[in-house]
Amino acid sequence: MNDVNSTDGVDGVLDEDRAAAALTALGVRSGAVLLVHASLRSLGPVAGGARGVLGALRRAVGPEGTVVVPAFTTENSDTSPHYRARVRGLDAGAVDAVRAAMEPYDPAVTPAPSMGALAETVRTAAGAGRSAHPQTSFAALGPGAGRLLAGHRADCHLGEDSPLARLYEADARILLLGTGYATCTAFHLGEYRMDRPPRRNYRCVVAARGVRQWWEYEDVALDDGDFAALGAAFEKSAADGDVRIGRVGAAACRLVRLRPAVDFATDWLTEHRAATVR
């Protein structure tokens, strides 16, 4: 694990130049593939807001690098925590109205409001790509986007037929930009790589040949409730260079190698969740 210093604006406003310099100081390299989780509020004032942050990220990775973000859409599912919170306390008629108003997933236009401003900025940027999964899509900008996003099967949220596995193959870095390990999506790939992980049914609204319909499928039961503890354990045992810690603006940030993080997660989840079941 490495601690690094970074630059910040003396006027209290982080501009694109300083943000790019801070990312480089953190260890982001030209040509890198970055899976980014960001809390823009934690950065403090940023010139240009989310667009300024994206500009800094693209400058740090350079023209050969690729920026990837989760663009998840829990809003079109009736098996998600978002839906359960939305209909809590409603009568049957109101619940039916909520379900009827749910829009089917369209990778070109469906927003991902729960993913934050940076994810939406990447998703809507000129030249951005997006994967096909109706609930757990990813968006990306850069020359590697097409390869990373291709083949995201609709019955595989975050496993071997998702962008996470392609990011693993690409030896990507995870950038926790003012967020913690609780938001580290890559750990979910470790869930899929456990021996016989628990599974459950999911349901969401899709458009099949232009016709709106509900679609139900079975996949691994995703659970991020222990990711903060998992991340702390990984960081404690991480090899030199696998985790770099620094600041970008006002935010505490981490740059993490995705491969060792996923490998550690697979073993840690296998041990700790089996112990919980026992």
Side-chain angles (χ1 to χ4, degrees):
M1 183 174 64
N2 305 85
D3 291 282
V4 296
N5 296 318
S6 65
T7 56
D8 193 7
V10 295
D11 55 2
V13 177
L14 186 67
D15 62 23
E16 189 174 310
D17 289 340
R18 290 168 177 154
L23 290 165
T24 299
L26 184 61
V28 177
R29 296 293 177 254
S30 179
V33 176
L34 279 185
L35 174 60
V36 184
H37 299 273
S39 168
L40 298 192
R41 180 179 300 175
S42 71
L43 294 173
V46 179
R51 291 188 181 278
V53 174
L54 177 56
L57 288 166
R58 299 204 71 187
R59 286 176 58 176
V61 301
E64 300 304 315
T66 301
V67 175
V68 185
V69 293
F72 299 171
T73 49
T74 61
E75 295 79 13
N76 73 334
S77 169
D78 68 352
T79 54
S80 68
H82 173 89
Y83 172 82
R84 291 193 292 272
R86 187 177 179 188
V87 301
R88 188 174 296 122
L90 300 182
D91 62 31
V95 170
D96 288 343
V98 169
R99 287 169 53 83
M102 286 182 177
E103 294 288 339
Y105 175 70
D106 181 340
V109 299
T110 300
S114 62
M115 293 293 100
L118 179 66
E120 279 293 88
T121 300
V122 173
R123 182 188 71 80
T124 57
R130 192 179 191 183
S131 67
H133 197 283
Q135 289 189 264
T136 52
S137 66
F138 290 77
L141 271 170
R147 173 177 50 83
L148 295 167
L149 301 176
H152 194 175
R153 270 182 30 209
D155 61 350
C156 180
H157 282 283
L158 300 168
E160 303 304 330
D161 293 300
S162 81
L164 283 185
R166 308 290 79 77
L167 288 162
Y168 183 95
E169 293 164 358
D171 196 19
R173 267 52 177 174
I174 304 160
L175 177 61
L176 300 175
L177 197 60
T179 67
Y181 286 108
T183 68
C184 186
T185 300
F187 286 155
H188 285 298
L189 184 56
E191 291 184 300
Y192 281 78
R193 294 182 174 180
M194 295 167 58
D195 184 34
R196 293 183 302 230
R199 299 176 69 85
R200 56 163 285 200
N201 287 338
Y202 296 87
R203 190 169 49 247
C204 61
V205 183
V206 298
R209 298 182 179 86
V211 178
R212 179 187 183 275
Q213 63 184 50
W214 286 92
W215 180 56
E216 186 167 347
Y217 58 101
E218 183 185 276
D219 198 5
V220 168
L222 301 174
D223 179 7
D224 61 7
D226 51 5
F227 281 10
L230 163 55
F234 167 67
E235 189 167 295
K236 186 175 181 180
S237 65
D240 188 48
D242 284 352
V243 180
R244 293 176 61 88
I245 300 174
R247 302 192 75 81
V248 177
C253 302
R254 283 169 167 79
L255 185 70
V256 180
R257 285 190 63 208
L258 188 144
R259 277 184 186 170
V262 169
D263 292 342
F264 183 91
T266 303
D267 293 338
W268 190 93
L269 291 168
T270 298
E271 177 183 353
H272 286 75
R273 291 189 180 175
T276 301
V277 171
R278 288 197 300 268

